[in-house]
Amino acid sequence: MAHYFEEPARTFSEYLLIPGYSDKNCRVENVDLRTPVTRYKKGEEPLIRMNIPLVSAIMQSVSDDKMAVALAKEGGISFIFQSQAIEEQVQMIRRVKSHKAGFVRSDSNIRPDQTLKDILELKKKSGHSTVAVTDDGTPQGRVLGIVTSRDYRVSSMYLSEKVSTFMTPFEKLIYAKEGISLSEANDMLWDHKLNALPIVDENMRLTHFVFRKDYDSHKANPNELLDGDKRYMVGAGVNTKDYKERVPLLVEAGVDILCIDSSEGYTEWQKDVLSFVKNEFEGKVKIGAGYEVDKEGFRFLADSGADFVKVGIGGGSICITRETKGIGRGQASAVIEVANEREAYLKEKGIYVPICSDGGIVYDYHMALALAMGADFLMLGRYFARFDESPTAKLNVSGNYVKEYWGEGSNRARNWQRYDMGGDEKLNFEEGVDSYVPYAGPLKDNVSLTLNKVKSTMVNCGVLNISDFQKNAKITPVSATSIVEGGAHDVILKETGGSNIR
């Protein structure tokens, strides 16, 4: 006979947290939201840890290079969507990795015999206004000069004008020799009022730039998530079809972590992808897998080598998997069971495998509940789709500003690879919708507000970090009547003029 679960599948809205004792040190400014992203042995440290427990979803309407930079500045990771050509995804990774660094390798280079037209085309392609002029036009060439937007004026110059006629020549540049420390380089930027400092080797060949804007950015974003070379960290989605071609190019581009983008993870296809990445790259790149909603699925992926496991099926706001296929589980129930199995796995094997909760988040307090129930971090789609940095259009619909948001299982995305189970190479039916979400403004302001709420909840529960939150939280299920009681009720709200008696 089929197996039946005794408890109904529950959502986050069906639970509340009970306050715990808070001493005088238990204040919002003392809360530490750092969290592990990749598996590690007991007593050791994870290779990748985030400064906030948020990642953006592997979706066309959510995660591109612009979102990745914005989220990395706040301490999280974006997983750039895989439902695009391999080279386009690779270019997004490269743009993120070159966007920030203490020492930046130049990706905008030109020869002195090229023209202003070439400069403008290069700027349009790279998005960077500082161009190194080298003898061979490569980033390793001998430096002859630099061109910035202050060196030319398009309205009063011919596009055919040679770079050599308007560049700032090398003899007029302030530069530093290879081996200088980042602190020393930043001092030179300030002392000489520079925006960019070229670093050259003993043969006067360009090795790096140090930019003033990166120093300013770091001071404004103390939680920014950087790799060992001071570059922003970024993830990428991969599928179970072209991973042998896609993964090597993503790794070459500098991706920090991968995640299999499939609708369900308890499959041989995901095991094959995990085995390929582990065997071919021997730990040089980490990879998460999923989705799962019970202990058997978690253990399968953990045993297969997943560095983290995504939890959730059908709980996303644009997902209709449950109503089209009858597959899924209430997100709270899924997180609770998988988290319990993760602890059992740790005791049995001495390995901690982080879990990522994806779906079911409607309100900010749901994030706190997900963390308390055992999630190490949260993957969010609708939440991030609302911000300036998401790749979709901002529209005015019926007098309200909105942003477009569509699921990977919708006809608009046509991401058949995500739902492929060995059949025809096409999307046979939709498992997602095309929609709008209310426009919310810049990511930084919204994430700051959200995390302050989460921190405040943790303080009320008497904890200062996520690990203690998971160990000490007191959680109670709530009745339908108490859910009504928890909001405004039995009053007439001034802002609407309508009754809120329910």
Side-chain angles (χ1 to χ4, degrees), residues 40-61:
Y40 59 95
K41 292 181 180 179
K42 188 175 181 179
E44 297 182 357
E45 287 292 317
L47 184 65
I48 298 178
R49 184 187 293 272
M50 291 190 298
N51 293 326
I52 63 172
L54 305 180
V55 301
S56 65
I58 311 169
M59 300 175 69
Q60 294 175 7
S61 56

Side-chain angles (χ1 to χ4, degrees), residues 1 51 75 95 135 139-140 142 146 224 240 271 278 282 285 294 301 304 358 379 394 396 424 471 492:
M1 291 182 63
N51 293 326
R95 286 198 289 271
D135 58 351
Q140 296 81 31
R142 185 165 57 86
I146 284 180
E224 60 185 358
T240 58
K271 184 178 181 180
K278 297 296 178 180
E282 299 178 338
V285 66
D294 66 1
L301 290 177
S304 298
D358 185 355
M379 181 172 279
K394 176 185 172 184
N396 189 308
D424 296 333
K471 295 173 186 174
I492 298 173

Side-chain angles (χ1 to χ4, degrees), residues 81-385:
F81 68 96
Q82 60 81 19
S83 52
Q84 60 179 319
I86 296 174
E87 184 54 33
E88 291 176 0
Q89 189 185 27
V90 166
Q91 286 300 326
M92 287 188 181
I93 296 295
R94 286 179 177 152
R95 286 198 289 271
V96 176
K97 301 307 289 188
S98 65
H99 189 281
K100 163 71 185 182
F103 293 96
V104 185
R105 291 192 180 279
S106 177
D107 66 352
S108 298
N109 309 280
I110 205 162
R111 299 188 312 275
D113 61 338
Q114 291 182 267
T115 65
L116 175 60
K117 180 182 178 182
D118 295 322
I119 286 283
L120 297 176
E121 289 177 350
L122 185 58
K123 181 180 179 180
K124 183 178 180 181
K125 179 180 178 181
S126 69
H128 299 151
S129 58
T130 299
V131 178
V133 184
T134 60
D135 58 351
D136 58 3
T138 71
Q140 296 81 31
R142 185 165 57 86
V143 185
L144 301 179
I146 284 180
V147 174
T148 72
S149 56
R150 294 182 296 181
D151 292 317
Y152 57 86
R153 196 163 139 193
V154 177
S155 61
S156 60
M157 296 171 64
Y158 292 108
L159 293 178
S160 59
E161 191 160 344
K162 299 292 185 182
V163 170
S164 59
T165 65
F166 60 86
M167 71 181 188
T168 301
F170 182 74
E171 56 267 22
K172 293 185 178 181
L173 291 176
I174 295 173
Y175 63 90
K177 289 292 187 73
E178 189 176 24
I180 189 174
S181 70
L182 182 59
S183 177
E184 292 169 334
N186 281 322
D187 286 342
M188 288 187 68
L189 286 171
W190 284 94
D191 292 344
H192 296 282
K193 300 181 180 179
L194 304 174
N195 289 322
L197 178 71
I199 312 296
V200 299
D201 65 15
E202 58 184 10
N203 297 313
M204 295 301 152
R205 295 189 176 276
L206 181 67
T207 64
H208 297 90
F209 276 109
V210 175
F211 291 100
R212 185 190 189 102
K213 65 180 178 62
D214 289 340
Y215 176 86
D216 294 338
S217 174
H218 178 69
K219 292 300 181 184
N221 301 287
N223 282 332
E224 60 185 358
L225 194 62
L226 307 176
D227 65 16
D229 294 319
K230 303 294 185 182
R231 303 175 300 176
Y232 286 134
M233 297 191 75
V234 61
V238 297
N239 59 56
T240 58
K241 298 295 291 185
D242 65 12
Y243 62 92
K244 291 184 180 179
E245 295 78 37
R246 189 177 293 265
V247 171
L249 293 174
L250 290 170
V251 173
E252 182 183 354
V255 72
D256 296 286
I257 187 166
L258 304 168
C259 184
I260 302 173
D261 182 31
S262 294
S263 61
E264 196 262 307
Y266 200 175
T267 70
E268 187 175 358
W269 287 282
Q270 289 220 3
K271 184 178 181 180
D272 288 345
V273 177
L274 292 170
S275 296
F276 172 79
V277 171
K278 297 296 178 180
N279 293 333
E280 291 293 319
F281 298 98
E282 299 178 338
K284 293 178 182 178
V285 66
K286 300 299 182 181
I287 182 168
Y291 293 90
E292 299 303 343
V293 291
D294 66 1
K295 60 184 180 182
E296 287 85 4
F298 168 83
R299 186 164 284 262
F300 170 78
L301 290 177
D303 285 341
S304 298
D307 286 295
F308 68 86
V309 173
K310 288 186 294 181
V311 178
I313 294 176
S317 60
I318 41 70
C319 183
I320 55 174
T321 295
R322 295 180 190 175
E323 62 184 82
T324 56
K325 298 198 301 189
I327 296 290
R329 193 178 192 185
Q331 190 67 11
S333 295
V335 170
I336 291 168
E337 178 169 326
V338 172
N340 285 333
E341 187 64 13
R342 179 199 54 206
E343 297 308 308
Y345 196 84
L346 174 62
K347 291 179 182 178
E348 179 184 331
K349 308 215 173 192
I351 297 173
Y352 187 92
V353 181
I355 62 174
C356 167
S357 175
D358 185 355
I361 301 292
V362 180
Y363 306 109
D364 288 347
Y365 85 89
H366 287 167
M367 298 186 193
L369 276 165
L371 295 171
M373 289 173 177
D376 294 283
F377 56 99
L378 317 173
M379 181 172 279
L380 304 168
R382 181 193 62 86
Y383 178 82
F384 286 114

